[in-house]
Amino acid sequence: MKSPIRVAVTGAAGQIGYALLFRIASGAMFGPDQPVILQLIEAPVEKALKALEGVAMELDDCAFPLLKGIVQTSDPAVGFKDANWCLLVGAKPRGPGMERADLLKDNGKIFIGQGQIIDAVAAADARIAVVGNPANTNCMIAASQAKRLPADRFTAMVRLDQNRAQSQLAIKAGVDLTKVSDIFIYGNHSPSMFPAFAHAKIDGKPATSVITDTAWLQTTFCETVGKRGAAIIAARGASSAASAANALTDHVRSLVTPGAIHSIAVKSNGAYGFDADVWAGMPVRTTTPGSYEIIQGYAMDDFAKSKIAATNKELVEERSFVASMLTS
Ligand code: NAX
């Protein structure tokens, strides 16, 4: 039996947390032979901490053989201590009438603190995955605080967008989902993201030769994927939770599986025309568990270039809103 890894999760009593923790404890994230200790972090709010107690009780009641311990805390220095993985799900939601710049600043403060503490107390091999929105920019802020942990340890999640895109292509083509591959998300986790359909394959063939309706690909498809979160809220009366937890499970599972090819938001090295230093969704290949390389060289046509320019512009703008929070 392997020794347990420590997995810290913020926002653990939230709706994504409620769908996520049981997947981690069951082995879906790190594999059926990897024991875990869950270090659950909530905001210092009585209601949230009480709810966390209930979630921990339910985890106990599942009798998961791989779950070797549960820490409950509102102190990030306790929650991130020796953590091998830090899953940053908790964030302040956008309130009615709140400007995006204000949301960025409010959440930025959370991610400054968490970035500093993770850098100080997490394990030497710590990996950080950010889900709390605005995820790309929160990830950039947290990474900017780290002196010990390199920037490539900090990734943000665009896997939900990738999974949504894969599903939409399969439905349109009338094929089984498993026949769709190589669909990657570029840019921000926001409606500006670009699902690059021209490189996708359906049953091994270019998706554009199977779905020949270019107008559908350029408009309906991109918009459906980009605005899926809003459609879920309109239908369910609450934001995506189970699918987000599932996507984070996929994000980490792919990152610990050498050879896996998938989309994550990473520090840009200028590839595909993104500004250096913004955190942008890109295709990556996992090299060794927890490490990856950006896959370069996918050719972009004028349509793709214009979509990437638009999502890059938004990321650069977000960075300008939080410039004073970045430590270089
Ligand atoms: P909830 O509001 O249900 O839960 C958030 C939890 O975080 C709450 O329990 C809250 O007490 C806690 N929290 C707040 N500040 C904290 C802090 N400083 N430390 C620890 N915990 C803290 O939201 P939920 O639906 O779970 O969504 C969580 C985040 O994921 C939101 O920011 C949301 O916008 C974002 N999402 C990101 C997605 C992505 O693809 N990147 C998709 C789904 C989701 O919308």
Side-chain angles (χ1 to χ4, degrees):
M1 189 57 126
K2 295 179 179 171
S3 43
I5 56 169
R6 293 179 176 274
V7 185
V9 182
T10 68
Q15 36 152 22
I16 294 176
Y18 191 65
L20 176 69
L21 301 177
F22 302 87
R23 302 287 304 281
I24 303 173
S26 72
M29 187 176 273
F30 296 102
D33 59 348
Q34 178 59 67
V36 294
I37 296 170
L38 286 173
Q39 306 193 158
L40 309 180
I41 308 171
E42 254 301 337
V45 173
E46 199 185 329
K47 195 165 166 231
L49 291 170
K50 194 75 196 152
L52 187 60
E53 261 179 61
V55 175
M57 286 159 68
E58 283 203 74
L59 282 164
D60 282 340
D61 294 350
C62 290
F64 287 120
L66 292 172
L67 184 56
K68 299 302 180 194
I70 304 173
V71 174
Q72 300 174 53
T73 184
S74 59
D75 180 352
V78 173
F80 291 124
K81 181 90 181 109
D82 299 329
N84 306 101
W85 279 86
C86 303
L87 307 179
L88 308 187
V89 178
K92 182 173 172 173
R94 187 168 177 168
M98 192 175 185
E99 294 293 331
R100 198 158 62 101
D102 294 330
L103 180 71
L104 281 157
K105 285 187 179 137
D106 281 0
N107 274 311
K109 287 177 204 146
I110 296 175
F111 286 83
I112 288 176
Q114 292 184 351
Q116 289 173 351
I117 294 171
I118 289 168
D119 198 46
V121 305
D125 69 350
R127 262 68 182 171
I128 298 91
V130 178
V131 172
N133 279 322
N136 299 52
T137 295
N138 289 340
C139 188
M140 174 178 65
I141 292 170
S144 82
Q145 307 302 316
K147 304 278 173 274
R148 179 178 61 116
L149 301 172
D152 64 2
R153 301 284 187 85
F154 291 77
T155 63
M157 185 173 97
V158 290
R159 186 58 173 265
L160 180 52
D161 312 304
Q162 178 186 311
N163 288 348
R164 287 166 170 167
Q166 182 181 356
S167 207
Q168 291 302 316
L169 289 177
I171 292 166
K172 179 70 174 176
V175 299
D176 187 81
L177 180 92
T178 56
K179 303 287 183 198
V180 179
S181 65
D182 297 2
I183 177 74
F184 304 118
I185 303 296
Y186 292 78
N188 206 0
H189 169 67
S190 82
S192 78
M193 83 188 70
F194 176 48
F197 53 81
H199 307 130
K201 299 224 164 49
I202 298 177
D203 224 353
K205 298 188 280 284
T208 49
S209 72
V210 178
I211 301 171
T212 53
D213 183 347
T214 306
W216 182 86
L217 287 166
Q218 292 188 345
T219 54
T220 312
F221 170 67
C222 290
E223 284 174 20
T224 302
V225 177
K227 296 180 182 166
R228 187 69 161 181
I232 305 274
I233 292 173
R236 205 172 86 85
S239 57
S240 319
S243 55
N246 177 67
L248 183 57
T249 307
D250 288 346
H251 173 115
V252 175
R253 189 89 188 112
S254 292
L255 264 180
V256 296
T257 307
I261 293 177
H262 52 115
S263 317
I264 54 177
V266 298
K267 183 180 181 181
S268 163
N269 57 4
Y272 299 108
F274 284 101
D275 264 45
D277 298 341
V278 296
W279 257 251
M282 309 247 177
V284 301
R285 182 183 296 103
T286 300
T287 50
T288 55
S291 301
Y292 55 87
E293 61 192 6
I294 295 172
I295 301 174
Q296 310 238 22
Y298 278 114
M300 296 291 173
D301 61 14
D302 287 345
F303 175 77
K305 282 181 187 156
S306 72
K307 296 293 279 184
I308 286 177
T311 192
N312 180 58
K313 182 166 176 278
E314 187 179 61
L315 287 168
V316 170
E317 189 179 273
E318 288 188 10
R319 186 176 58 189
S320 74
F321 286 143
V322 300
S324 64
M325 298 182 165
L326 302 174
T327 308
S328 56

